[in-house]
């Protein structure tokens, strides 16, 4: 692929300073993003943060108050939903109850005026992709939730949209089915090769399915990045707290060098092996994930590691791992998760005094 | 003991509802002219009716008005319901809503009177219709309006009252309908009108049918509004019955009423049969689905 093509692919979907206000309240607030061709992009955020509103603007059901959406460089925000080469899979699936599975999938193709033979071929193909050949004559109410979900997917893919929108695609399924379906859905989308924007409030779903994730809150993007970037290098307190479990220590930046810094907190003085752009004395928060903390009954010999003492408050054994709540001298509680990689790992009980230690590189300094 | 007690009250309830109607039906077959005397079984009064052109005319006029006013009411009611449900804000929505529901709460006498005044006013404003060109003249020659009141004014009145009832029925169906169905249709390439007839319409057909039946029966037994709006050559069945009853109990009234009850009962029966069939079809489909799932 030459450089020019790669460039076109990078900005396949371009959202430019998009804002949507309902009665002066911004549901989506000045959002800009570029999505590459073939990418699965997830919008992740808690309820009411504006995910659906953003998705509905892409589909054309809401008109942006400000900003523009470009698809392959062409502005589409003024186009009617029925003219956009974009299809959506609805959270409630929105299958037409009076039509059979076959007719539901063929619905969009018929509106296009596609020749009959071609429609049949395309519907066949879709049925094969979602493995629903046996059910063509059924009506939606005769299908299970998982089957309905696949019909909805087939219907949205049938027109070969340039952009596929999924609003909580697995929200209506129970937990077990959801896990199985996540990978299946991702495989289908990747095989078809369609660019996809996915809305979810389930972080596991976003992590497993998406190439890139945007964390949203109050209508804004707080961080956009690869799943591991979001988890390992959150850029603010909100993101660190939102994704996974985290221990946060508020303190002040007391030393700042290009390759390390020191943060002093009431719980202790922590060494971080990367510099931050900030002034000494400023308020910062350091974050450490529970699985990056080690527990031991004696003081660590390696003095380069950060270490504090505490007492076990609760211990829960899960077989593959144990989760401990540890109370520090300041009264702060720290969550620690120990993977049992050996059969003879040390186990701690309630009220046991312990040392907690973690590597300088396990810490992330958050400035907001 | 409890169940027997319950059954007793159930029977009392049915008796309360149906004995008057049964009495009427039985009396319509009474040979004797007197209500208090059973003179033996006879179809005499039906024979009298069959020869009574006024009654036959009234019956067909009533059915015709009911049919067309129910149809008009359902069409207008659908439009109104759509405006109310799908457009949360438009200029004058509150006023529109109040006017739409007015016939449900305003006493019928007032509705009838105001409609009458309205039609008279139009007649006065227009003056001799011939001056307004061939179209209105044709209109007058066909419907008799605005020169005089009759079938047309009754139809218009019934349609406007029926529209309120139809709108209520259809609104509730539209509200419970998943809005994303319409969005999905649009997403898949339907223009707004296609969305309506390909997706919305099939979803609201049952509501349209029940709205039609409801407005049909409302029109069929309406007396008050009809009395205000009818002209010399347009007497509907209920108005005719009222008139006859005022002149004393005539057994032909019983026969007319029995025929009316029969028509209504047929309509209700057809409606339930349709529902029953529909349910059976759904059950059969579901059963078939489980069969070929294995
Ligand atoms: N049609 C509307 N009119 C007024 N306010 C709206 C409308 N649609 C959404 N909002 C508001 O915009 C905000 C964002 O809503 P949105 O539906 O996008 O949230 P969401 O992130 O999808 O949440 P959820 O996970 O609960 O679906 C909410 O505060 C909501 O109340
Ligand atoms: Mg939502």
């Amino acid at each position: 692929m030459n450089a020019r093509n790669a460039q076109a692919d990078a900005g396949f979907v371009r959202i430019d300073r998009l804002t949507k206000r309902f009665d002066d309240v911004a549901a989506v607030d000045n959002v800009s993003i570029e999505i590459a061709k073939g990418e699965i992009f997830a919008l992740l955020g808690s309820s009411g943060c504006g995910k659906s509103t953003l998705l509905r603007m892409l589909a054309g059901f809401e008109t942006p108050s400000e900003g523009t959406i470009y698809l392959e460089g062409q502005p589409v925000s003024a186009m009617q939903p029925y003219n956009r080469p974009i299809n959506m899979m609805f959270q409630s699936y929105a299958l037409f109850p009076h039509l059979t599975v076959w007719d539901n999938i063929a619905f969009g193709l018929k509106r296009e005026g596609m020749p009959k033979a071609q429609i049949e071929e395309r519907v066949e193909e879709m049925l094969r992709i979602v493995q629903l050949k046996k059910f063509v004559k059924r009506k939606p109410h005769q299908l299970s939730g998982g089957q309905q979900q696949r019909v909805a997917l087939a219907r949205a893919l049938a027109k070969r949209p340039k952009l596929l929108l999924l609003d909580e695609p697995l929200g209506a399924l129970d937990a077990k089915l959801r896990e199985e379906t996540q990978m299946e859905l991702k495989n289908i989308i990747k095989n078809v090769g369609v660019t996809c924007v996915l809305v979810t409030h389930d972080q596991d779903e976003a992590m497993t399915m998406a190439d890139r994730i945007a964390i949203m809150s109050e209508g804004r993007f707080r961080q956009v990045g690869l799943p591991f970037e979001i988890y390992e290098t959150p850029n603010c307190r909100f993101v660190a707290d939102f994704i996974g479990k985290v221990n946060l220590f508020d303190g002040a930046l007391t030393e700042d060098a290009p390759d390390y810094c020191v943060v002093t907190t009431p719980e202790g003085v922590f060494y971080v092996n990367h510099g931050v752009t900030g002034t000494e004395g400023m308020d910062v928060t350091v974050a450490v994930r529970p699985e990056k903390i080690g527990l031991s009954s004696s003081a660590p010999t390696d003095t380069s590691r950060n270490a504090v003492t505490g007492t076990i408050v609760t211990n829960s054994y899960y077989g593959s791992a144990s989760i401990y709540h540890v109370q520090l001298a300041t009264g702060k509680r720290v969550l620690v998760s120990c993977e049992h990689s050996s059969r003879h790992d040390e186990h701690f009980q309630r009220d046991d005094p312990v040392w907690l230690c973690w590597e300088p590189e396990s810490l992330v300094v958050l400035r907001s | 003991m409890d169940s027997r007690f319950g059954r007793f009250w159930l029977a009392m309830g049915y008796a309360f509802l149906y004995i008057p109607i049964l009495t009427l039906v039985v009396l319509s077959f009474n040979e004797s002219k007197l209500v208090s005397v059973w003179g033996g079984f006879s179809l005499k009064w039906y024979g009298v009716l069959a020869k009574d052109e006024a009654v036959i005319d009234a019956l067909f006029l009533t059915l015709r008005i009911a049919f067309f006013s129910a149809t008009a009411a359902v069409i207008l009611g659908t439009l109104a319901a759509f405006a109310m449900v799908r457009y949360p804000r438009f200029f004058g929505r509150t006023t529109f809503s109040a006017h739409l529901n007015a016939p449900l709460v305003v006493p019928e006498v007032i509705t009838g009177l105001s409609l009458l005044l309205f039609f008279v006013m139009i007649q006065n404003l227009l003056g001799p219709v011939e001056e307004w060109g061939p179209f209105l003249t044709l209109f007058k020659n066909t419907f008799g309006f605005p020169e005089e009141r009759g079938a047309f004014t009754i139809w218009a009145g019934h349609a406007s009252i029926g529209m309120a009832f139809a709108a209520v029925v259809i609104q509730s169906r539209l509200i419970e309908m998943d809005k994303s169905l319409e969005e999905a249709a649009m997403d898949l390439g339907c223009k707004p009108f296609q969305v309506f007839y390909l997706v919305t319409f099939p979803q609201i057909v049952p509501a349209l049918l029940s709205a039609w039946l409801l407005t049909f029966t409302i029109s069929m037994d309406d007396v008050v509004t009809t009395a205000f709006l009818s002209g010399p050559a347009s007497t509907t069945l209920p108005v005719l019955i009222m008139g006859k009853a005022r002149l004393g109990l005539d057994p032909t009234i019983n026969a007319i009423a029995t025929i009316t009850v029969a028509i209504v009962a047929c309509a209700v029966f057809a409606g339930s049969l349709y529902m029953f069939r529909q349910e059976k079809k759904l059950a059969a489909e579901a059963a078939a689905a489980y069969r070929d799932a294995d």
Side-chain angles (χ1 to χ4, degrees), chain A residues 48 50-53 91 167-168 199:
Chain A
K51 312 178 291 286
S52 296
T53 307
Q91 179 169 6
D167 192 357
E168 307 263 0
V199 157

Side-chain angles (χ1 to χ4, degrees), chain A residues 145-251:
Chain A
Q147 290 162 347
Q148 289 181 12
Q149 187 258 348
R150 284 185 282 161
V151 177
L153 179 66
R155 188 179 69 177
L157 286 174
K159 290 184 76 171
R160 302 235 166 100
K162 291 184 172 154
L163 178 62
L164 175 70
L165 307 174
L166 306 176
D167 192 357
E168 307 263 0
L170 309 174
L173 303 181
D174 57 56
K176 187 168 169 291
L177 191 58
R178 190 189 286 209
E179 230 165 79
E180 292 168 12
T181 315
Q182 274 168 14
M183 287 317 295
E184 193 185 312
L185 185 58
K186 180 174 179 173
N187 283 337
I188 292 176
I189 295 170
K190 282 294 176 189
N191 287 339
V192 173
V194 64
T195 311
C196 175
V197 177
L198 158 86
V199 157
T200 177
H201 63 261
D202 178 343
Q203 44 173 297
D204 294 333
E205 196 172 302
M207 291 280 197
T208 42
M209 289 190 57
D211 297 317
R212 237 168 9 129
I213 298 175
I215 308 291
M216 273 187 93
S217 110
E218 291 172 0
R220 289 164 181 272
F221 281 0
R222 304 302 291 262
Q223 186 171 5
V224 180
L226 305 176
F228 85 86
E229 289 174 343
I230 303 256
Y231 186 79
E232 300 292 3
T233 357
N235 66 358
C236 60
R237 238 189 123 101
F238 177 85
V239 173
D241 206 23
F242 187 76
I243 295 287
K245 300 251 181 341
V246 74
N247 297 299
L248 297 169
F249 301 94
D250 294 322

Side-chain angles (χ1 to χ4, degrees), chain B residues 2-293:
Chain B
D2 247 10
S3 106
R4 231 191 273 166
F5 185 71
R7 251 181 263 158
F8 170 75
W9 283 109
L10 187 66
M12 289 300 280
Y14 277 129
F16 179 73
L17 284 174
Y18 289 112
I19 283 183
I21 296 177
L22 265 179
T23 316
L24 183 143
V25 172
V26 170
L27 282 179
S28 79
F29 296 107
N30 188 359
E31 166 80 38
S32 157
K33 200 175 162 61
L34 299 169
V35 174
S36 48
V37 181
W38 177 250
F41 179 85
S42 142
L43 291 174
K44 182 165 108 189
W45 305 114
Y46 289 90
V48 174
L49 262 193
K51 287 196 207 80
D52 191 338
E53 262 176 44
V55 170
I56 309 252
D57 286 351
L59 175 65
F60 280 105
L61 180 71
T62 309
L63 288 176
R64 219 162 56 222
I65 290 176
F67 180 87
F68 286 109
S69 67
T71 308
V74 168
I75 293 173
L76 293 174
T78 307
L79 294 175
F82 247 84
M84 290 306 295
V85 175
R86 289 290 181 258
Y87 299 91
R89 52 186 73 172
F90 58 84
F91 177 75
R93 188 180 187 274
T94 318
T95 321
F96 179 72
S97 161
H99 283 185
L100 183 61
N101 294 325
L104 304 180
V105 287
V106 173
E108 224 190 315
V109 180
I110 311 276
T111 312
L113 183 61
S114 59
L115 280 168
L116 172 63
L117 291 176
F118 172 71
F119 288 131
V120 169
M121 186 192 74
I122 288 189
Q123 185 188 346
N124 289 344
L125 278 180
L126 287 179
V129 164
E130 283 72 11
E131 288 169 18
W132 291 86
F135 179 73
L136 264 190
T137 311
L138 182 72
F139 191 87
K140 187 206 91 176
N141 293 341
T142 318
F143 296 112
F145 183 78
E147 217 71 323
E148 58 187 26
R149 282 161 301 284
F152 178 81
T153 45
I154 300 173
W155 168 80
H158 285 190
S160 78
I161 294 174
M163 170 182 162
F165 288 89
V168 169
V169 173
I170 297 163
Q171 260 183 68
S172 65
R173 178 71 190 107
L174 278 178
I175 287 169
E176 76 186 27
M177 186 183 145
D178 186 359
K179 201 176 167 232
S180 58
L181 283 182
E182 293 179 348
E183 286 177 347
M186 206 184 277
D187 189 60
L188 293 165
C190 282
K191 303 206 167 56
F193 187 66
Q194 289 178 314
V195 172
F196 178 77
Y197 76 76
L198 288 172
V199 173
T200 317
F201 181 73
Q203 297 306 306
I204 61 172
V205 164
L208 296 183
L209 277 182
S210 51
W212 194 89
L213 280 176
L214 177 67
T215 47
F216 183 87
T217 46
I218 287 175
S219 164
M220 236 192 99
D221 67 6
D222 181 84
V223 175
V224 180
T225 311
T226 313
F228 278 105
L229 300 179
S230 59
S234 58
T235 311
T236 64
L237 205 53
V239 173
L240 187 88
I241 295 176
M242 282 287 284
K244 276 183 185 274
R246 212 170 288 143
L247 297 177
L249 287 174
D250 176 350
T252 53
I253 297 178
N254 298 340
I256 301 173
T258 304
I259 291 173
T260 316
V261 168
I263 293 175
V264 172
C266 281
V268 171
F269 181 71
S272 339
L273 197 68
Y274 170 79
M275 296 295 235
F276 179 70
R277 285 262 176 85
Q278 217 50 14
E279 256 164 47
K280 251 179 93 172
K281 207 174 113 203
L282 283 184
E285 273 176 6
Y290 287 121
R291 228 181 306 120
D292 46 65

Side-chain angles (χ1 to χ4, degrees), chain A residues 20-23 25-28 43-56 62 91 167-168 199-201 216 218-219, chain B residues 88-89 179:
Chain A
K20 176 69 189 182
R21 275 183 290 267
F22 293 112
D23 306 322
V25 181
V28 172
L43 300 172
L44 179 60
S46 46
S47 191
C49 70
K51 312 178 291 286
S52 296
T53 307
L54 180 51
L55 202 71
R56 290 170 58 78
E62 305 281 358
Q91 179 169 6
D167 192 357
E168 307 263 0
V199 157
T200 177
H201 63 261
M216 273 187 93
E218 291 172 0
Chain B
R89 52 186 73 172
K179 201 176 167 232

